[in-house]
Amino acid sequence: MSNRSIQSGTLYEVVVNQETQYSIRPLIKALPLRWAEAGKQGSKEAFLAFISEVWANMRHLSLRQEMRVS
């Protein structure tokens, strides 16, 4: 955990949109439109690592689906 995260005590949450793109947001901020909670909360560093594991294909869901059909 970075010194900044430790000092501020900020907790983060992983969010995902309809295109299966992931991001993190501070829990104190409102959930952006068209984004949903991914069920993970904690430090920024832990969730950046989580996202790098689960978001293996950076292409949008709609593009991946289109590529399967073509």
Side-chain angles (χ1 to χ4, degrees):
M1 193 178 301
S2 73
N3 287 339
R4 188 174 187 178
S5 292
I6 292 169
Q7 290 172 356
S8 69
T10 302
L11 290 178
Y12 291 84
E13 173 177 53
V14 177
V15 292
V16 61
N17 67 15
Q18 295 172 340
E19 291 289 338
T20 64
Q21 296 171 301
Y22 288 84
S23 186
I24 63 171
R25 71 172 183 94
L27 284 175
I28 60 172
K29 299 230 177 190
L31 186 65
L33 290 175
R34 298 189 177 103
W35 288 82
E37 298 169 352
K40 301 279 186 185
Q41 297 177 358
S43 72
K44 183 176 182 176
E45 292 78 10
F47 294 111
L48 291 176
F50 169 78
I51 289 169
S52 71
E53 289 178 26
V54 298
W55 194 12
N57 190 337
M58 301 292 277
R59 289 178 263 188
H60 295 225
L61 177 62
S62 56
L63 176 61
R64 292 191 316 260
Q65 290 171 336
E66 185 178 314
M67 291 173 70
R68 282 187 222 141
V69 173
S70 300

